[in-house]
Amino acid sequence: MHGEYKVPGGKLVVVDLEERDGRIADFHLAGDFFLEPDSALADIDAAVNGLPIATDAAAIAAAVRAALPEGAQLLGFTPDAVGTAVRRALVTAPGWRDFDWEIVHERPVSPRMNLALDEVLTSRVGDGRRRPTLRLWEWDESAVVIGSFQSYRNEVDPEGAARHGFDVVRRISGGGAMLMAANSIVTYSLYVPASLVAGMTFADSYAFLDDWVLQALRSLGIEATYQPLNDIASPQGKIGGAAQKRLANGGVLHHATLSYDMDGEVMTEVLRIGREKLSDKGTVSAAKRVDPLRRQTGLSREAIIERFIDTFAKLYGAVPGRITDEEYAEAEALVESKFATDPWLHRVP
């Protein structure tokens, strides 16, 4: 069995192993990481050999950690990364390039339509009617997009939203509210089969699915890092955040919103952001919570999107794709039956 795991912002961890009498056998770790002392490689192999094949990633990592000699230095990987790679080998998880990818970047649609397309395209990837896809959003009006489990009245100031021209909509994924002002953010969605993140913890899958965008941001001169659970940041502050939804048919939606040119004062008047949430982020004002891409790159929003598309295509062999008329029609019907309805918007009052 063979498993690979690219550590977000780090190195590739590769494992080969056999199963014998319900236990891991002939285990060998490899990769382009750095490890000192050299003998620690044999210690890691010995720690994993003999573990039951049902051992989860956390327990594998604990075994590796306990076997490391005092003062061992692991650069570009961690014991947790070894655990993830082992689990991916045991479930024969595919890698990015085992799939044929599409990139979609089409005409602007309403925020509700963008949300409906997320559900439709995720479902179609899950049941095999669409290839795994990266979609860059475009929208034709400003909106506040609240998470699936957020309280409408606790998160949004209706008067402030109306005053600044923001509609309010609810998405199918969890997480926090997004302020989607026209031409002020970059939002993308990944529609992937669950097999791509098989063997990973939920938290690990976030960083794994956004590693490509960290590479794109770094190519633009931004020292981008991933901050668990779901924040993308730089030394100058938070850039954006991600959210996920996993469907019963095996489709996984992973989408992220990055600030291009956020007006912090408008944000405080539209969203009810309390002192507790701000203090948790280590800041004293909402205006400082989001660090715009425009200031860090000096580039247009369109140029940044182009770099994202180019990076993803080069990394994973993705080709340009399109949303079909049938998919648009299915999404339009879903807007009418779900995303434009009060019961959905106020499902958590």
Side-chain angles (χ1 to χ4, degrees), residues 117-329:
L117 283 169
D118 268 0
E119 185 166 338
V120 168
L121 300 183
T122 304
S123 179
R124 285 180 173 246
V125 169
D127 60 27
R129 290 183 291 161
R130 161 173 280 277
R131 294 190 291 181
T133 302
L134 166 68
R135 180 172 73 94
L136 281 301
W137 290 29
E138 295 294 349
W139 58 99
D140 54 12
E141 60 186 76
S142 297
V144 176
V145 183
I146 60 176
S148 181
F149 310 108
Q150 287 189 298
S151 163
Y152 177 97
R153 64 169 172 252
N154 288 344
E155 295 297 328
V156 181
D157 183 332
E159 293 182 359
R163 184 168 62 253
H164 290 286
F166 283 82
D167 192 11
V168 183
V169 294
R170 184 185 295 275
R171 63 181 185 268
I172 62 173
S173 63
M178 304 186 306
L179 197 71
M180 292 182 55
N183 299 314
S184 292
I185 61 172
V186 176
T187 295
Y188 60 85
S189 295
L190 280 168
Y191 314 110
V192 308
S195 59
L196 179 62
V197 292
M200 295 184 193
T201 65
F202 196 84
D204 283 344
S205 72
Y206 270 81
F208 177 78
L209 291 174
D210 277 335
D211 187 52
W212 69 273
V213 84
L214 297 186
Q215 296 185 55
L217 290 170
R218 288 168 187 158
S219 75
L220 294 171
I222 297 175
E223 297 177 40
T225 57
Y226 211 85
Q227 305 294 329
L229 171 66
N230 62 336
D231 283 353
I232 297 171
S234 76
Q236 285 72 44
K238 178 177 174 179
I239 296 172
Q244 282 187 16
K245 176 66 177 181
R246 304 191 178 202
L247 303 184
N249 73 348
V252 176
L253 165 64
H254 178 96
H255 48 193
T257 293
L258 311 182
S259 172
Y260 175 70
D261 187 19
M262 183 72 72
D263 187 328
E265 292 303 318
V266 170
M267 183 168 65
T268 62
E269 294 178 17
V270 174
L271 301 180
R272 299 187 191 278
I273 302 174
R275 288 181 176 272
E276 183 176 353
K277 186 168 185 177
L278 290 174
S279 63
D280 181 60
K281 300 295 182 181
T283 59
V284 295
S285 75
K288 295 180 180 179
R289 287 193 58 222
V290 182
D291 192 49
L293 291 173
R294 184 172 71 171
R295 180 168 64 83
Q296 294 194 51
T297 66
L299 297 174
S300 68
R301 178 178 174 274
E302 291 74 18
I304 292 171
I305 289 175
E306 189 61 35
R307 179 62 60 88
F308 282 12
I309 291 172
D310 183 62
T311 298
F312 193 89
K314 288 180 177 177
L315 286 172
Y316 308 132
V319 299
R322 59 179 292 270
I323 300 171
T324 67
D325 292 342
E326 182 182 11
E327 289 167 337
Y328 272 123

Side-chain angles (χ1 to χ4, degrees), residues 47-48 51 55-68 78-84:
V48 178
L51 291 176
T55 306
D56 64 21
I60 295 169
V64 170
R65 198 171 287 112
L68 290 171
T78 64
D80 299 281
V82 177
T84 297

